[in-house]
């Protein structure tokens, strides 16, 4: 058995803090203290689960799976006043969505009420529990403080017979609420105040959602939880740090009774996110107070809310893996969570065009009635997926209202009178005339000329416009509703409120902006509920699974393309922009990152750096935002140039230098890296020639950042070469398909989204080394 002295200290956890519980389990199995791992996830059904619970779910179910054990789903339903079957059903739904499977191991603490009552009677018979008749105020007064011992209750020395009689009469319903409680008889002078004769049973006159009116006394959490673990044979009872002081009581209860097994409790740091609240009481207040539209409101940190917003279980899993498992509480940046969501959606969300605040543009020299079908890819070059759609171009189009200024500032690279821009995937337009509403003076239409690109993709007049705009054909676009969701709270620590204020005072008034009359390209006319897309230049969006209808999708913004709340902006968090049609109503300002696209950032650069950025855009084809970042940082630019000198893929090099490398650097400086730009170029070459996948490349980069070295040597030493042998992969694919008959049936019944599940299983089985294109091809053939 694991003793207290065998528990690792924080210092001992040190570098292994991310997996110290895994180490404990491995040591227990190796030492023969256990032959099988049994964990549990024990939520109270008094609300919906939130993202903090996700960390516990993934840890408990993940460890059980990793060690070939089992994880129980057990509902701690010992407080009938707050619990409901709705919550039971929602919790099961959320846990399954995150990948938790419990088979026949579904339990309820209410199943054990009779056994728990018998355990309480056993404590009384042993002289270790007594019925106390003090009021709550009197009990509090005798409890003492952290520096002063408590004082004994005058009822502490009741005889065993009297206690048994009173406890039986409590069960029989003879007494009102508050008349008596059953307390453990431990030590009123204990330094740990949890041990000062804590209550273990109380009278509760409330109908239980499962047992009805069979009981009027209910066990308290510490008593029910520890004994439920013992009844079920739990080996490792894993909970968050706020229960650390409860461990002594947990052990006392187990050791004071004749229980069928001896579980041990271990604590880890709970997940705390800034800009949100995790208290169920406060989440309930948001729902009951009408501040949100239910537990599944996409602004809520609940699993149901995140799912409806379009967050995937894979991104939550990646986030929890990134923050790790520690012994010390800390606050995690919400931006880190959003980054994990972007990384996941980047590989699953096809790119399309949508105009959220439409401005009508007439192409005067484009023939009436003519429609040109333009082939546009769904995926950018750095995403290894294929597919395209036809985008119609006609005489009248819509562009984003924010992409036009009649009196623009210097170096404005979007549309303005007399100024030329490129239409995404199409030709060039030049603004010739501005049409206004006679009554309001509002700009309602632009008159432009259209120029087709030359064979080299340039404008016929030789100009090289810096701006590229997204657009849709007015005659073919679908009118939709788009909901721009943002953080629910404007304060980084909404719980830390001043005296006299409430956490609700920190609500962000711009957390939801609903835009009607938005226009999307016609390829989305048949989009299904629950589909992910990226609106180019706008963000990642999700087709709302509740409010959408055939031909009338509602799009929820899952996450913006960039963190508009970044501290680097020098601004306090601001709210999303309101629709133009709501101009009569004062609206909060838009975030700086949305107001300042790369053209404006370019204009703020000193001339020499601005010239570097333009050269990167024009000569190297680097996206504007990336070009500005490189031009601003000499070390990054040098690393980029050295990488390109070895492997000439400028867009890929910029993407890896700016995005992938920045995540690995954390607080380090680019100039301190233990590898050269040439070695980064070598890594990019390994990706492009198919030696390794992009996922494996990230692991290699992480090792390079830590230890340096040649990426090719790292790949060979660790055996990371991508598996592209069809025969070898076919065997893995066959095993995965055979091992998941239920998913195969659902896929063949029409749930084709499960292809992502099968790809993930094959990639996992191959250690992430399988060629994803070949895996897709094999699965498509096998599952047909």
């Amino acid at each position: 058995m694991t003793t207290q002295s065998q528990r690792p200290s924080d210092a001992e956890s040190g570098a292994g803090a991310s997996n110290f519980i895994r180490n404990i389990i491995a040591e227990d199995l190796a030492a023969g203290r256990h032959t099988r791992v049994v964990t549990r996830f024990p939520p109270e059904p008094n609300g919906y689960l939130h993202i903090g619970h996700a960390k516990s779910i993934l840890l408990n179910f993940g460890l059980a799976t990793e060690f070939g054990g089992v994880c129980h789903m057990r509902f701690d339903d010992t407080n009938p006043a707050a619990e409901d079957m709705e919550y039971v059903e929602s919790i099961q739904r959320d846990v399954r969505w995150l990948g938790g499977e419990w088979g026949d191991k579904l339990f309820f603490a209410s199943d054990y009420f009779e056994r728990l009552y018998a355990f309480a009677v056993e404590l009384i018979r042993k002289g270790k529990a007594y019925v106390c008749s003090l009021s709550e105020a009197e009990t509090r007064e005798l409890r003492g403080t952290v520096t002063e011992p408590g004082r004994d209750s005058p009822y502490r020395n009741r005889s065993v017979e009297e206690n048994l009689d009173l406890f039986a009469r409590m069960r029989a319903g003879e007494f009102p609420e508050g008349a008596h409680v059953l307390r453990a008889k431990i030590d009123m002078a204990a330094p740990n105040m949890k041990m000062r004769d804590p209550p273990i049973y109380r009278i509760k006159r409330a109908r239980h959602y499962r047992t009805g009116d069979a009981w009027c006394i209910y066990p308290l959490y510490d008593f029910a939880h520890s004994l439920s673990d013992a009844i079920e044979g739990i080996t490792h009872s894993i909970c968050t740090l706020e229960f650390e002081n409860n461990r002594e009581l947990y052990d006392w209860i187990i050791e004071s009774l004749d229980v069928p097994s001896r579980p041990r409790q271990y604590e880890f740091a709970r997940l705390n996110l800034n800009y949100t609240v995790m208290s169920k009481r406060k989440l309930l207040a948001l729902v009951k107070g009408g501040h949100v539209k239910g537990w599944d409101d996409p602004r809520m940190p609940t699993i149901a809310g995140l799912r409806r917003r379009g967050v995937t279980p894979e991104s939550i899993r990646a986030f929890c893996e990134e923050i790790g498992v520690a012994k010390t509480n800390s606050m995690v940046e919400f931006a880190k969570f959003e980054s994990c969501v972007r990384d996941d959606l980047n590989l699953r969300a096809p790119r399309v065009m949508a105009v959220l605040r439409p401005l009508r543009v007439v192409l005067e020299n484009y023939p009436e009635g003519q429609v040109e079908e333009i082939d546009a890819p769904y995926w950018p070059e750095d995403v290894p997926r294929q597919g395209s759609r036809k985008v119609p171009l006609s005489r009248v189009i819509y562009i984003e209202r924010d992409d036009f200024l009649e009196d623009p500032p210097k170096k404005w690279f979007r549309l303005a009178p007399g100024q030329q821009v490129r239409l995404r995937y199409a030709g060039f337009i030049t603004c010739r005339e501005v049409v206004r509403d006679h009554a309001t003076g509002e700009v309602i239409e632009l008159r432009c000329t259209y120029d087709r690109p030359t064979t080299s993709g340039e404008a016929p007049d030789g100009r090289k416009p810096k701006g590229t705009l997204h657009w849709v054909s007015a005659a073919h676009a679908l009118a939709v509703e788009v909901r721009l969701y943002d953080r629910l709270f404007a304060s980084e620590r909404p719980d830390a409120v001043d005296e006299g204020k409430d956490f609700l005072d920190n609500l962000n008034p711009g957390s939801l902006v609903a835009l009607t009359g938005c226009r999307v390209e016609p390829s989305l006319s048949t989009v299904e509920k629950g589909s992910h897309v990226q609106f180019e230049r706008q963000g990642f969006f999700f087709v709302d699974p509740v409010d959408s209808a055939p031909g009338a999708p509602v799009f929820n913004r899952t996450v913006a393309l960039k963190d508009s709340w970044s501290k680097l902006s020098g601004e306090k968090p601001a709210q999303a922009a309101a629709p133009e049609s709501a101009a009569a109503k004062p609206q909060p300002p838009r975030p700086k990152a949305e107001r300042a696209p790369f053209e404006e950032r370019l204009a703020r650069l000193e001339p020499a750096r601005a010239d570097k950025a333009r050269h990167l855009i024009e000569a190297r084809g680097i996206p504007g935002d990336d070009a500005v970042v490189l031009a601003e940082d000499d070390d990054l630019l040098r690393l980029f140039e050295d990488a390109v000198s070895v492997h000439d893929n400028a867009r890929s090099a910029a993407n890896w230098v700016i995005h992938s490398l920045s995540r690995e650097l954390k607080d380090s400086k680019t100039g301190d890296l233990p590898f050269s730009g040439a070695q980064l170029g070598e890594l990019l070459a390994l990706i492009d020639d198919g030696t390794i996948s992009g996922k494996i490349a990230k692991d290699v980069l992480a090792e390079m950042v830590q230890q340096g070295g040649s990426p090719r040597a790292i790949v060979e030493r660790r055996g990371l070469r991508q598996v592209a042998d069809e025969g070898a992969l076919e065997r893995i694919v066959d095993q995965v398909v055979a091992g998941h008959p239920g998913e195969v049936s659902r896929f063949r019944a029409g749930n084709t989204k499960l292809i992502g599940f099968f790809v993930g299983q094959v990639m996992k089985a191959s250690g992430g080394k399988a060629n994803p294109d070949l895996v897709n091809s094999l699965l498509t053939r096998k599952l047909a």
Side-chain angles (χ1 to χ4, degrees):
M1 289 292 183
T2 303
T3 64
Q4 294 293 331
S5 62
Q6 289 170 318
R7 296 175 185 274
S9 67
D10 289 350
E12 289 169 334
S13 298
S18 64
N19 64 353
F20 73 97
I21 295 178
R22 181 182 292 113
N23 293 342
I24 291 171
I25 294 176
E27 290 169 8
D28 284 348
L29 292 174
R33 287 186 282 268
H34 299 291
T35 57
R36 190 180 187 217
V37 173
V38 184
T39 60
R40 85 290 170 269
F41 176 62
E44 182 182 357
N46 63 349
Y48 279 52
L49 299 182
H50 54 64
I51 190 171
H53 294 111
K55 181 177 178 181
S56 181
I57 292 166
L58 294 171
L59 182 62
N60 278 287
F61 280 94
L63 288 171
T65 300
E66 180 179 344
F67 288 100
V70 64
C71 181
H72 293 186
M73 167 66 82
R74 181 177 72 240
F75 288 93
D76 173 37
D77 54 349
T78 57
N79 182 11
E83 295 157 0
D84 194 279
M85 185 56 73
E86 174 195 352
Y87 299 138
V88 172
E89 293 170 350
S90 74
I91 289 169
Q92 292 187 68
R93 184 166 56 246
D94 291 346
V95 173
R96 281 201 173 99
W97 181 73
L98 283 170
E101 289 294 340
W102 53 88
D104 62 350
K105 303 302 181 184
L106 174 62
F107 303 105
F108 295 81
S110 54
D111 291 336
Y112 309 135
F113 279 172
E114 197 65 57
R115 295 184 71 177
L116 296 174
Y117 178 82
F119 279 127
V121 169
E122 183 183 341
L123 279 181
I124 294 173
R125 291 189 187 279
K126 289 181 175 181
K128 295 186 175 184
Y130 63 97
V131 174
C132 182
S133 305
L134 292 174
S135 67
E136 276 192 46
E138 290 169 331
T139 302
R140 227 175 1 254
E141 185 179 345
L142 295 180
R143 192 165 179 238
T145 67
V146 293
T147 58
E148 297 178 356
R151 289 172 287 159
D152 287 353
S153 164
Y155 306 102
R156 196 172 195 264
N157 294 318
R158 276 173 167 160
S159 68
V160 169
E161 291 73 18
E162 185 180 3
N163 284 319
L164 288 173
D165 175 65
L166 285 170
F167 191 47
R169 291 164 63 191
M170 285 169 61
R171 174 176 179 171
E174 289 190 23
F175 307 113
E177 281 192 26
H180 307 289
V181 296
L182 182 68
R183 296 174 68 178
K185 186 187 288 188
I186 307 178
D187 181 3
M188 288 302 294
N192 181 354
M193 295 184 69
K194 293 282 185 184
M195 302 298 286
R196 295 183 183 178
D197 290 9
I200 56 176
Y201 258 94
R202 81 288 206 200
I203 300 170
K204 198 80 172 174
R205 297 283 185 172
R207 184 176 180 81
H208 192 279
Y209 74 102
R210 292 187 78 234
T211 62
D213 295 321
W215 293 85
C216 62
I217 59 170
Y218 292 92
L220 277 87
Y221 170 81
D222 289 300
F223 189 73
H225 177 70
S226 55
L227 291 172
S228 296
D229 282 351
I231 291 169
E232 294 176 15
I234 302 302
T235 58
H236 298 81
S237 183
I238 304 166
C239 57
T240 47
L241 277 178
E242 63 263 38
F243 295 102
E244 188 171 24
N245 286 338
N246 300 57
R247 188 205 311 153
E248 190 175 355
L249 178 56
Y250 181 103
D251 291 340
W252 183 91
I253 292 170
I254 295 296
E255 290 161 2
S256 297
L257 292 163
D258 184 15
V259 292
S261 72
R262 180 47 168 107
R264 297 281 181 179
Q265 176 177 306
Y266 301 92
E267 307 86 22
F268 69 97
R270 66 181 293 172
L271 171 56
N272 295 304
L273 271 179
N274 61 4
Y275 294 106
T276 192
V277 294
M278 297 289 193
S279 159
K280 276 188 182 179
R281 178 181 60 80
K282 291 178 178 177
L283 295 177
L284 181 62
L286 289 169
V287 174
K288 296 294 186 183
H291 303 287
V292 294
K293 299 176 181 179
W295 287 99
D296 69 342
D297 188 303
R299 293 167 291 179
M300 289 280 275
T302 56
I303 303 297
L306 295 172
R307 180 168 60 243
R308 187 171 176 185
R309 185 160 174 162
V311 174
T312 64
E314 291 83 0
S315 60
I316 294 175
R317 187 175 299 114
F319 173 60
C320 290
E321 288 175 356
E322 183 169 328
I323 62 177
V325 180
K327 282 284 287 181
T328 305
N329 280 326
S330 62
M331 185 65 67
V332 180
E333 294 282 342
F334 197 88
K336 185 186 290 287
F337 172 63
E338 290 180 320
S339 177
C340 290
V341 175
R342 288 189 196 96
D343 286 349
D344 180 75
L345 294 180
N346 183 55
L347 300 176
R348 71 172 72 237
R351 278 54 166 174
V352 293
M353 291 192 290
V355 175
L356 306 188
R357 301 169 180 86
L359 176 60
R360 177 182 167 93
V361 175
V362 177
L363 307 180
E364 293 185 305
N365 61 334
Y366 200 95
E368 292 270 9
Q370 179 174 313
V371 178
E372 182 179 350
E373 296 283 343
I374 299 173
D375 191 62
Y378 276 125
W379 306 98
E381 294 177 0
D382 61 344
V383 176
R385 301 187 66 174
Q386 297 179 341
S388 64
R389 79 283 189 194
K390 298 294 184 181
V391 177
L393 174 65
S394 60
R395 178 179 170 86
V396 181
I397 64 173
Y398 289 121
I399 66 168
E400 202 68 58
R401 183 170 291 276
D402 291 347
D403 282 339
F404 172 79
L405 279 181
E406 192 169 9
D407 185 21
K410 187 179 180 182
K411 297 186 179 180
W412 169 263
F413 297 122
R414 287 176 278 173
L415 200 58
Q419 195 152 306
Q420 186 181 72
V421 296
R422 178 193 291 272
L423 294 181
R424 181 75 161 144
Y425 306 119
F428 305 83
I429 61 171
T430 305
C431 180
R432 302 298 185 189
E433 182 184 348
V434 178
V435 180
R436 298 179 176 279
D437 181 277
H438 292 300
T440 65
E442 178 188 1
V443 175
I444 58 173
E445 183 179 282
L446 303 178
R447 294 273 170 167
C448 300
T449 54
Y450 179 72
D451 292 304
R452 299 182 183 280
T454 64
T455 54
S456 62
E458 296 182 352
D461 58 9
R463 284 191 286 176
K464 297 180 179 179
K466 304 290 191 302
T468 299
L469 309 185
H470 62 279
W471 55 278
V472 293
S473 167
H476 303 86
L478 180 69
V480 299
E481 179 181 349
V482 173
R483 297 169 181 171
L484 301 179
Y485 289 105
D486 210 334
R487 301 180 189 183
L488 185 56
F489 292 94
S491 169
E492 186 173 1
R493 299 292 295 272
D495 281 328
V497 295
D498 297 330
E499 188 175 351
K501 290 190 175 182
D502 188 82
F503 80 103
L504 295 172
D505 295 331
N506 288 321
L507 285 168
N508 175 9
S511 61
L512 168 60
V513 175
L515 303 176
T516 56
C518 305
R519 299 293 194 275
V520 299
E521 62 177 67
S523 68
L524 293 174
S525 60
T526 58
V527 70
E528 297 180 353
K529 292 181 179 181
S531 298
H532 295 91
V533 294
Q534 184 197 108
F535 290 166
E536 296 201 43
R537 301 177 67 215
Q538 309 275 13
F540 292 101
F541 289 79
F542 184 66
V543 183
D544 189 280
V546 177
D547 294 337
S548 297
V554 175
F555 292 92
N556 298 333
R557 184 171 67 183
T558 307
V559 65
L561 292 179
K562 293 193 175 180
D563 177 20
S564 60
W565 294 62
S566 174
K567 295 175 183 176
L568 296 176
S569 69
E571 279 193 354
K572 290 186 179 294
Q575 290 75 45
E580 187 94 7
S581 58
K585 181 180 178 181
Q587 298 293 333
R590 293 169 62 190
K592 183 173 181 178
E594 292 186 16
R595 286 203 310 271
F598 87 91
E599 296 96 336
E600 295 175 35
R601 293 172 60 203
L602 184 67
R604 291 196 293 266
L605 291 178
E606 56 189 67
R609 293 189 183 276
D611 289 341
K612 286 181 183 178
R614 293 191 192 93
H615 173 76
L616 290 168
I617 296 167
E618 297 167 9
R620 298 293 187 87
I622 306 298
D625 288 314
D626 289 354
V628 170
V629 172
L630 290 174
E632 288 174 329
D633 190 314
D634 292 336
D635 286 335
L636 279 184
L637 182 60
R638 190 178 305 110
L639 196 70
F640 163 81
E641 295 289 2
D642 289 347
V644 173
S645 68
V646 170
H647 182 68
D648 191 13
N649 186 337
R651 288 178 67 93
S652 177
N655 182 58
W656 278 79
V657 165
I658 295 169
H659 304 292
S660 298
L661 182 60
S662 64
R663 282 195 292 270
E664 296 298 334
L665 279 175
K666 296 183 172 61
D667 297 327
S668 303
K669 296 181 179 179
T670 311
D672 298 333
L673 286 171
F675 64 87
S676 65
Q679 287 174 317
L680 179 62
E682 182 183 336
L683 177 66
L684 303 181
L686 292 174
I687 301 170
D688 288 350
D689 67 15
T691 300
I692 58 175
S693 65
K695 183 178 184 301
I696 291 174
K698 290 182 179 180
D699 294 336
V700 175
L701 180 64
E703 181 169 332
M704 291 168 64
V705 170
Q706 292 297 319
Q707 303 174 16
S710 160
R712 188 176 297 277
I714 294 171
V715 168
E716 297 301 334
R717 186 183 75 250
R718 294 175 53 187
L720 297 177
R721 279 183 172 272
Q722 186 168 244
V723 179
D725 178 80
E726 184 168 343
L729 285 182
E730 189 169 16
R731 287 191 292 275
I732 298 175
V733 168
D734 286 341
Q735 291 171 0
V736 168
V737 171
H740 298 85
E743 287 78 4
V744 171
S745 297
R746 294 202 296 275
F747 179 89
R748 289 173 175 163
N751 189 357
T752 55
K753 292 180 183 177
L754 281 170
I755 190 69
F757 165 80
F758 286 108
V759 171
Q761 292 298 311
V762 174
M763 296 302 290
K764 183 178 179 180
S766 68
K769 293 186 280 189
N771 181 294
D773 291 333
L774 184 53
V775 170
N776 263 301
S777 175
L778 286 169
L779 282 169
T780 301
R781 190 168 78 234
K782 298 284 183 179
L783 295 171

